[in-house]
Every structure is written in C-alpha cells, then in structure tokens.
Amino acid sequence: VVVLLIAFGSVVAMGLPLGTALIGLGTGLSVITVAEAFIDVPTVSPTLATMIGLGVGIAYALFIVTRHREHLHQGESVEDSAARALATAGQAVVFAGITVVIAICGLQFAGIPVMATMGYATAVVVLISVAAAITLLPAFLGFAGTNIDKLKVPGVKAAAAGDENSVASRWSRHVSDHPWRYLLLSLAFLGTLIIPFFSIRLGQADDGNAPPGSTRREAFDLLAEGFGPGFNGPLAIVVEKGDGPFDASIATLVTAIGKDPEVVFVVPKATVNPAGDTAIVTVFPKHSPQDAGTQELVHRLRHDVLPRAAVEAGVDRPLVTGRTAVFIDISEKITARLPPFIGGVLLMSFILLMIVFRSILVPLKAGLMNLLGIGTAYGVVVAVFQWQWGGRLLGVEEALPISSFLPMFMFAILFGLSMDYEVFLMSRIREEYLRSGDNTASVSA
C-alpha cells in the first residue's frame, strides 16, 4: 500500500492493482484448496503461492495501470486508454506470466514429488493472477474512469510515467553515454558478490543450529558432549531375514559395521518386528549429522561395508536410512538434478523470448544477465548465512548450512521474476524503438 501510494500519489490508483491482486490470489488459493481434496498438497504450498502470487499479481496490475494513466494524461478517452494499455502492457503481462510458470514448473526436474507439487500450486496462482490482470482490471479501470487520480496523497505528486526530464530518464541517458564504464563496473561489483557462492555448503539445519540458550540447542550440545557428536544423527540399518538364524546374522552384521573407523557404536541388540523377519540396527557415527565424514560413512556402508557383511551374514543387502541419511540423499539428488533443471528452464525461456521478440540476441542477453543476477544472490546468501557477514542483523547467531532445497527454489523464483521484469522492460523498449528507431531514446523512455 505504501509503495503504491508513493508511486501513484492517489488512493484510487493504488487500490486498483491491490484489489486485482487480492482477488486473483484468493481465487488461486481457492483452487489449491479444492485440489487438496483430490491430491496431496504440501502444507507449505499455500504460503509459497501467496508470496509469489501476491508479488506478481500486484506487479502485473501495476504495469497496466501505469500505462493506462500515462495515456489518460496524454488526453485519450478512458476506453481507448484502457484498450491501448491492455494491448501493450497486457500482452507483456501474458508472456511474463508464462515465463514465471515455466520457471516454477521447472521444479519437477528435481525428481522430488513434493517440490513439483509446490511448483504446480504456485503456477496455478500465477496463471490466475495473469487472467485477473487482463480481464478484471480493465473492468476496474472502466469503473474508475477519469477519477483514477482522485483522493490524492498530500505531498506526493501523482505524475504519470514517460517524463523525459525525470531522474530515471536523465540517469538512463548518462549511462548510455558511458556504456563500457558502467558495464565493467557492474560486472566487477556483481562478480565480487558471486565469489562466496563457490564455497557453498549444502546441508540441513538441525537443533545444533538452534539459537544458543534455547532448550533445543542446550539438549543437542549436552548429548554431543556426553555421547559424542554422532549421537544426534544415528543411522538406521534395515535388514531382512535370510536363510540362516536371524540372531546370528544380525550379530555378524553388527560386528562388520563396528569395524569401520568412523563408527563409534553399534547397538548390539536389534529391534525386530513381531513377524521376526525384519530388523533395525542402530549405528552411531563418529561425526555430527552435518559433517562431511558422516556423508562419506553413509556411502561407504552402502557400497562397501554392508554388501560384504550381507554375504557373510547370509542376508539380503541391508539398507541405510534414518533422518541423517535421508537428508544426505535429498541433498545429493537435488545437486545432481540442478544442471538439467537450470538448462531446461533456460531453454524453454529462450524459445519463448525468441518468439516474443523475434530475436536471438535479446533472449541470449536476458539469460546471461539473469544467471549473473541469480549467481550474485547465491553469493550473498552464502556470505550472510554461512560466512556470517551481517547475519546477526537478521537474527542468525552463527553459521548455518545452506538448505539443500534452497538453490533450486531460489533459481525457480528469482529466474521467473527477473525474466518477468525483463519481458516488461524489453517489450516497452521494443515498442518505442519500432516507433522512433532511436535505440538510446527507446531505452530512456
């Protein structure tokens, strides 16, 4: 509300994009609620959909209202102004919304159904926000008519866009006069911020990352001090009965696992199910759940220790699971899927922008710029949460591992939104260029 009041200087103009976005968001969340009756929808999906849907919903309506006010201030009728705004900014909204949907739906490349479902739920809200912007908003513009600038905010000038003497316009022409200087400065600045990304450490926060002084953190530290760091992240070895006596097989298995130097203790008595054909052996690693040594132990147990021990014990190959192993598997799966995910989203977005702008250089430039921006965002996240540069200002008391889900989620959201605004800007520049043929003036406008 505050930002829109400053942008428009009018309560009526502020209310149009906000009202459109809220109705679109409410409709989208209703669709998600209905879908929950038929499919499993993660509980975090409505929150994620609200965050993205509200952001893009306001943005889409904002651009159309801005163009509409610009045309009104040029003396056009309400009907002609709304029609032109929809034909220009409205068209950009449709293509921008598609780029966001492409990026968000790219989460299916993760190979994790929960992430894919969250992406689909968010995509539904984005599509409905687009529909609201190109159908409901024009009706609102008609109701507002020439009163769109009524109820002005004291001290805020309700100026329309397109002023050649504005600060933004003068700055744009200044940068255009010194392109290489600002290109190199920008690359140097963003390149510096990317550097922390190369030391990223993926993992999953646990009670060891809880704020100092909290009961969770104190309990975690006491257990680690009394029983060793690995006590907070035990591994569960699941084994099925073979042909021989099950007790003897489990004893052989326990002995083989206990010989690994990274294993502190193996509970000698396994937990056996009532049928007597399946057992769980609990293993305590030497290192903490987030330590690289624990990850290496999980791989070694699966690929080296347990296959040999299974032959000696006369059982089928045992399986390694437990909270710690699950997080390791998720991190590795997401890391392996990240390149095809990024590549797929880039390719689909490139094709869409090539169709929109009938150009190869424009989508190529857009893709490179957005990759640079997202890389910078990754670097800043690592610097703040992992390196602790200013982390205390955000309430982060000590270094945290970067959640394994985060890079993929960040790419989907940031790439979608940055390409979103790329489409808006480039559509407007192209529109001006087709009218004037002057590249610098088009960028400035």
Side-chain angles (χ1 to χ4, degrees):
V1 170
V2 172
V3 171
L4 292 176
L5 284 175
I6 294 174
F8 291 136
S10 160
V11 174
V12 175
M14 174 274 296
L16 295 178
L18 197 62
T20 303
L22 289 174
I23 292 175
L25 175 63
T27 306
L29 292 178
S30 298
V31 172
I32 294 176
T33 303
V34 172
E36 290 175 348
F38 303 96
I39 60 175
D40 291 331
V41 179
T43 53
V44 74
S45 295
T47 304
L48 182 65
T50 298
M51 180 179 68
I52 304 299
L54 193 60
V56 299
I58 292 176
Y60 296 159
L62 171 63
F63 282 110
I64 295 176
V65 171
T66 299
R67 292 303 300 275
H68 176 63
R69 291 179 67 248
E70 182 181 340
H71 298 149
L72 284 180
H73 287 204
Q74 293 171 354
E76 295 188 17
S77 67
V78 173
E79 291 80 3
D80 290 343
S81 174
R84 282 191 61 191
L86 207 62
T88 53
Q91 186 182 47
V93 162
V94 172
F95 287 112
I98 293 174
T99 61
V100 175
V101 169
I102 287 174
I104 295 293
C105 286
L107 288 172
Q108 65 180 323
F109 287 108
I112 300 175
V114 171
M115 293 184 67
T117 304
M118 285 190 283
Y120 298 146
T122 304
V124 166
V125 174
V126 172
L127 286 174
I128 292 176
S129 297
V130 171
I134 61 176
T135 58
L136 179 63
L137 181 58
F140 283 168
L141 296 178
F143 280 119
T146 56
N147 297 317
I148 193 169
D149 288 332
K150 296 293 185 180
L151 300 178
K152 294 183 178 180
V153 179
V156 179
K157 184 181 179 182
D163 184 1
E164 294 183 358
N165 296 316
S166 66
V167 174
S169 182
R170 294 199 303 270
W171 172 250
S172 171
R173 290 194 294 268
H174 171 71
V175 173
S176 296
D177 291 338
H178 310 87
W180 287 105
R181 176 196 304 174
Y182 287 101
L183 174 64
L184 294 176
L185 284 174
S186 299
L187 288 176
F189 177 69
L190 295 177
T192 301
L193 292 178
I194 289 177
I195 291 174
F197 169 63
F198 296 105
S199 65
I200 189 171
R201 179 170 60 89
L202 295 179
Q204 200 69 31
D206 53 28
D207 288 344
N209 303 117
S214 64
T215 56
R216 291 186 298 128
R217 176 61 179 275
E218 289 185 357
F220 185 96
D221 291 342
L222 281 172
L223 290 173
E225 181 181 348
F227 300 98
F231 190 83
N232 287 298
L235 303 176
I237 312 298
V238 180
V239 59
E240 291 185 350
K241 185 178 182 299
D243 296 330
F246 204 16
D247 290 341
S249 299
I250 293 174
T252 302
L253 202 65
V254 167
T255 302
I257 296 172
K259 291 179 180 178
D260 191 288
E262 295 297 318
V263 173
V264 173
F265 181 69
V266 184
V267 178
K269 184 172 177 57
T271 302
V272 183
N273 70 334
D277 58 4
T278 306
I280 299 176
V281 177
T282 303
V283 178
F284 293 99
K286 180 179 180 180
H287 300 286
S288 66
Q290 297 175 7
D291 196 282
T294 304
Q295 182 176 354
E296 295 171 1
L297 173 61
V298 169
H299 290 311
R300 192 163 54 252
L301 288 175
R302 284 173 171 166
H303 304 299
D304 186 17
V305 176
L306 291 178
R308 290 204 311 266
V311 174
E312 296 176 13
V315 295
D316 292 333
R317 188 171 123 177
L319 306 173
V320 182
T321 184
R323 178 184 173 89
T324 301
V326 167
F327 283 144
I328 291 172
D329 291 344
I330 291 176
S331 297
E332 292 180 348
K333 186 169 188 177
I334 292 178
T335 302
R337 294 294 183 97
L338 200 55
F341 162 67
I342 293 176
V345 171
L346 283 174
L347 178 61
M348 290 187 289
S349 300
F350 181 88
I351 293 173
L352 177 65
L353 292 185
M354 192 167 59
I355 294 172
V356 173
F357 295 111
R358 298 176 176 85
S359 165
I360 293 179
L361 287 179
V362 169
L364 182 63
K365 184 272 303 179
L368 291 175
M369 280 188 61
N370 288 317
L371 283 177
L372 181 64
I374 293 169
T376 302
Y378 284 162
V380 171
V381 167
V382 172
V384 172
F385 292 96
Q386 196 172 301
W387 290 7
Q388 278 292 283
W389 289 5
R392 291 185 180 278
L393 298 177
L394 299 177
V396 182
E397 299 295 333
E398 57 185 49
L400 294 172
I402 305 302
S403 172
S404 53
F405 289 96
L406 194 64
M408 190 167 282
F409 265 118
M410 279 185 65
F411 185 88
I413 295 172
L414 293 180
F415 188 84
L417 294 181
S418 57
M419 289 297 277
D420 208 7
Y421 302 129
E422 181 84 22
V423 170
F424 283 126
L425 284 170
M426 292 306 300
S427 297
R428 187 73 173 99
I429 292 171
R430 182 172 180 270
E431 181 185 339
E432 287 296 319
Y433 183 78
L434 293 176
R435 184 181 63 82
S436 66
D438 187 329
N439 186 74
T440 302
S442 302
V443 174
S444 176

